[in-house]
Amino acid sequence: MRKLIFLALILSVLHANSFFDTYIKDKPKGVVRDFYIWQYLQTPNLTSAEITQAYNLISNKNPYLKKTLANLNIQEQLPRDLICSRMPLSEAINQDADCLSKALKLPDILKLDKPTIATIESKLGDKYPLLSKSVAVLSSSDLAMALLDSQTDVFVNVFNALPYTIKQNLFEDVPQKYLQDSIVRLTGANLTSFSTLLTVVVLDPKFQAFKKALTKVFLTNVTHNAAFLLGINEVQIGDKQKAIKYFKLAYSKASDPLFKDRALFWQYLVGDDKNALKEASQSTFVDLFSIAANQILKTKPKFDIVTTLPDIKGDKAPFDISDPYTWQKLNSKIVNENNPIELKNIIQSFEYKDSIAQFSYVMQRLHKYSKNYYIHPYEHLLKWDSIDQKSFVYAIAKQESHFLPSIISRSFALGIMQIMPANVMPFAKDMGIDNLSYDDLFKPEVGLSMGRYYIEVLRKEFKHPLFVAYAYNGGPGFLRRLLAQKRLFIKGRPYEPWLSLELVPYEESRFYGMRVLANYVIYERLFGREINVQDLLNKALIY
């Protein structure tokens, strides 16, 4: 028995060494190497030296890596910042400022006595001014007033760190005029983070005092998205004319055509501005708002849809489309190349049937996204149950990865359908797939098949394509909790269903749903079925 255990340990070490040498050693830094480091760190019986070697190569500690690092069970010496991040605050107070800053969680300040807080402030001192000032605010006897009197970066840092139970009613007792003046002052710094905080406030069902104060001022020193959502706040509890002013401000500040079309469409919704609707219908960009504008006006869209590519040289590309390191290297060259002639030279490497996704990806950059590529690669690799199924799978795949098969996101979502690692093995088991590795997700047929499987699971529960898109992006639990609140997709409420599209609190899912639904409408049209956007959205009104 001891011999078997010893043999297993030897094989584990050999496997770890082989894995490190093959996938990590001498590989370029970036998310791909981080992904393989994450896998390596889960190998049993790694030594401190092996952990440290891998740890020092990490480029970005995403949640998957943080969780793995936190669970490392080793008695030997670990990297110091990792030791400090896991250290109890009572112990970290006796360390230097660097270590203390890693261990400190701002909400802990609310539970500490004044001498301990003074020690923390003194130790952090000038080396960590934002953290030190945040501690001072949190230790104030009047948290709301101290927060409103702080610098903008301190306000954002503390507000974001506060438990929701505290901050939801934090400003209810603050005089409205003082709250209004403080908001104007805090916005003056023009920090993107404060604009983000404003959008969080507007989208939350709480923060009524803060939202009411926002309707008493007009803020111009904000991002386009904050301006837009301040308009939505006016639509709900303020003045419609001020809402239109905010939508016009959002339009002027936006550079992404989706956000310009969105601002124009809302000028039409709130003010019945036919000129704004006509301008949205003239957009050369495919989005839910440009599609709807043309359907309302019964006009032909100006956007250019590309479904086929020029002459193809052959089936197999001269590179491995399933190797994430290869794509990382190619993509680095693409994104850093601004010369159109050089981009055209790069494109020649992609003129093959199995690299059609890479081809269209570069062509969009070459055309500066003035053309809208709605290709449907790899469709021959699967047997589709229906046209509707294929339309929706491609709508998701286009948004997730531009159909690039070996892409890895910063959160380690994998492949053409961006499947999260935690879902890979459970999905494989349900699909009856044995001996699947993460690398198999970089094969188009495997990625598409697993994404389709997950979509069908979500469609059985959530039915509507918009809800399926939200669940695919944010997770089914997120959508269940959101819908259970019964404050979105309400029949008979003014500006529905468009209003609910804007009130989804998770920003990534909010815009994801808009984009996927637009993709779905276009793919359905390409495959032979016309869908009216307004009718489709009306079916999402469930309360």
Side-chain angles (χ1 to χ4, degrees), residues 41-293:
L41 288 174
Q42 296 174 78
T43 305
N45 306 307
L46 291 178
T47 66
S48 177
E50 289 169 330
I51 292 172
T52 301
Q53 182 183 25
Y55 181 85
N56 289 335
L57 294 175
I58 294 173
S59 302
N60 179 56
K61 300 182 186 72
N62 70 9
Y64 270 88
L65 270 166
K66 287 180 180 178
K67 183 177 180 180
T68 297
L69 291 167
N71 290 334
L72 287 173
N73 184 19
I74 189 167
Q75 301 302 315
E76 300 173 74
Q77 185 72 5
L78 293 172
R80 188 165 189 267
D81 58 344
L82 183 56
I83 293 172
C84 291
S85 68
R86 301 165 68 175
M87 187 179 294
L89 184 59
S90 57
E91 183 180 338
I93 289 175
N94 299 317
Q95 305 295 320
D96 59 24
D98 292 332
C99 191
L100 177 58
S101 71
K102 300 287 189 304
L104 181 63
K105 309 293 186 294
L106 282 178
D108 291 343
I109 299 298
L110 299 170
K111 307 171 188 175
L112 299 177
D113 58 49
K114 289 188 178 298
T116 304
I117 293 172
T119 300
I120 291 172
E121 279 191 75
S122 174
K123 183 152 288 188
L124 291 172
D126 295 334
K127 190 163 188 180
Y128 292 93
L130 176 59
L131 202 52
S132 180
K133 292 173 184 176
S134 298
V135 169
V137 168
L138 282 164
S139 64
S140 171
S141 58
D142 190 336
L143 177 57
M145 295 300 286
L147 194 53
L148 290 171
D149 290 339
S150 65
Q151 297 171 343
T152 307
D153 57 345
V154 176
F155 183 99
V156 172
N157 196 44
V158 172
F159 189 86
N160 287 337
L162 283 172
Y164 184 74
T165 52
I166 292 177
K167 65 185 176 185
Q168 62 181 326
N169 299 310
L170 187 60
F171 303 113
E172 293 298 319
D173 296 327
V174 175
Q176 272 285 304
K177 183 65 168 62
Y178 196 88
L179 184 54
Q180 295 163 27
D181 292 345
S182 298
I183 289 170
V184 172
R185 181 186 65 79
L186 289 164
T187 310
N190 195 24
L191 288 182
T192 301
S193 55
F194 190 73
S195 288
T196 301
L197 186 146
L198 288 177
T199 67
V200 169
V201 167
V202 170
L203 292 169
D204 196 286
K206 304 291 185 178
F207 305 116
Q208 291 303 316
F210 205 118
K211 285 192 275 196
K212 185 178 178 182
L214 288 172
T215 65
K216 304 301 181 183
V217 297
F218 189 82
L219 305 175
T220 59
N221 212 17
V222 291
T223 63
H224 73 86
N225 195 42
F228 179 87
L229 286 174
L230 287 168
I232 294 295
N233 190 53
E234 295 292 339
V235 165
Q236 292 186 283
I237 63 172
D239 178 76
K240 291 181 181 179
Q241 292 306 311
K242 192 191 286 188
I244 292 169
K245 286 178 63 179
Y246 270 127
F247 295 142
K248 289 181 177 179
L249 178 64
Y251 175 85
S252 69
K253 286 176 173 282
S255 56
D256 188 317
L258 165 64
F259 299 132
K260 284 188 170 295
D261 294 343
R262 173 192 183 213
L264 288 167
F265 195 79
W266 270 91
Q267 289 174 51
Y268 160 72
L269 284 177
V270 176
D272 196 29
D273 188 339
K274 296 296 195 301
N275 288 328
L277 185 67
K278 184 176 180 181
E279 187 175 349
S281 75
Q282 300 293 305
S283 176
T284 59
F285 185 76
V286 172
D287 57 57
L288 212 54
F289 307 100
S290 61
I291 295 171

Side-chain angles (χ1 to χ4, degrees), residues 173-417:
D173 296 327
V174 175
Q176 272 285 304
K177 183 65 168 62
Y178 196 88
L179 184 54
Q180 295 163 27
D181 292 345
S182 298
I183 289 170
V184 172
R185 181 186 65 79
L186 289 164
T187 310
N190 195 24
L191 288 182
T192 301
S193 55
F194 190 73
S195 288
T196 301
L197 186 146
L198 288 177
T199 67
V200 169
V201 167
V202 170
L203 292 169
D204 196 286
K206 304 291 185 178
F207 305 116
Q208 291 303 316
F210 205 118
K211 285 192 275 196
K212 185 178 178 182
L214 288 172
T215 65
K216 304 301 181 183
V217 297
F218 189 82
L219 305 175
T220 59
N221 212 17
V222 291
T223 63
H224 73 86
N225 195 42
F228 179 87
L229 286 174
L230 287 168
I232 294 295
N233 190 53
E234 295 292 339
V235 165
Q236 292 186 283
I237 63 172
D239 178 76
K240 291 181 181 179
Q241 292 306 311
K242 192 191 286 188
I244 292 169
K245 286 178 63 179
Y246 270 127
F247 295 142
K248 289 181 177 179
L249 178 64
Y251 175 85
S252 69
K253 286 176 173 282
S255 56
D256 188 317
L258 165 64
F259 299 132
K260 284 188 170 295
D261 294 343
R262 173 192 183 213
L264 288 167
F265 195 79
W266 270 91
Q267 289 174 51
Y268 160 72
L269 284 177
V270 176
D272 196 29
D273 188 339
K274 296 296 195 301
N275 288 328
L277 185 67
K278 184 176 180 181
E279 187 175 349
S281 75
Q282 300 293 305
S283 176
T284 59
F285 185 76
V286 172
D287 57 57
L288 212 54
F289 307 100
S290 61
I291 295 171
N294 279 286
Q295 290 180 344
I296 293 168
L297 294 171
K298 296 181 170 57
T299 51
K300 183 179 179 181
K302 298 296 182 183
F303 45 71
D304 187 7
I305 301 288
V306 179
T307 59
T308 57
L309 300 181
D311 295 336
I312 299 297
K313 294 177 181 177
D315 289 340
K316 298 287 289 182
F319 64 93
D320 184 356
I321 66 168
S322 298
D323 179 10
Y325 276 119
T326 297
W327 175 243
Q328 178 177 287
K329 182 179 178 181
L330 288 168
N331 191 43
S332 177
K333 187 176 181 181
I334 292 165
V335 299
N336 291 315
E337 184 56 73
N338 296 315
N339 186 331
I341 295 175
E342 289 301 318
L343 279 176
K344 287 180 180 179
N345 291 333
I346 294 172
I347 287 171
Q348 294 177 15
S349 301
F350 302 141
E351 294 174 347
Y352 297 85
K353 187 175 181 179
D354 69 352
S355 57
I356 187 174
Q358 292 85 348
F359 190 108
S360 65
Y361 175 79
V362 183
M363 289 294 286
Q364 287 181 98
R365 292 186 63 85
L366 186 62
H367 293 305
K368 300 185 184 299
Y369 300 92
S370 61
K371 296 181 184 292
N372 303 272
Y373 282 78
Y374 279 82
I375 59 173
H376 34 99
Y378 315 119
E379 62 182 321
H380 63 288
L381 298 176
L382 272 66
K383 184 178 179 181
W384 302 95
D385 295 338
S386 65
I387 293 298
D388 180 70
Q389 181 192 70
K390 183 164 69 169
S391 296
F392 196 73
V393 169
Y394 276 103
I396 293 281
K398 176 177 170 60
Q399 184 56 36
E400 288 288 347
S401 67
H402 300 290
F403 307 108
L404 300 167
S406 58
I407 192 170
I408 303 175
S409 78
R410 288 185 178 274
S411 59
F412 295 165
L414 307 175
I416 193 169
M417 298 298 287

Side-chain angles (χ1 to χ4, degrees), residues 421-442:
N423 289 332
V424 171
M425 298 312 166
F427 288 175
K429 181 180 179 181
D430 291 344
M431 295 169 70
I433 301 175
D434 296 323
N435 302 317
L436 189 78
S437 72
Y438 292 126
D439 281 4
D440 288 325
L441 269 293
F442 305 133

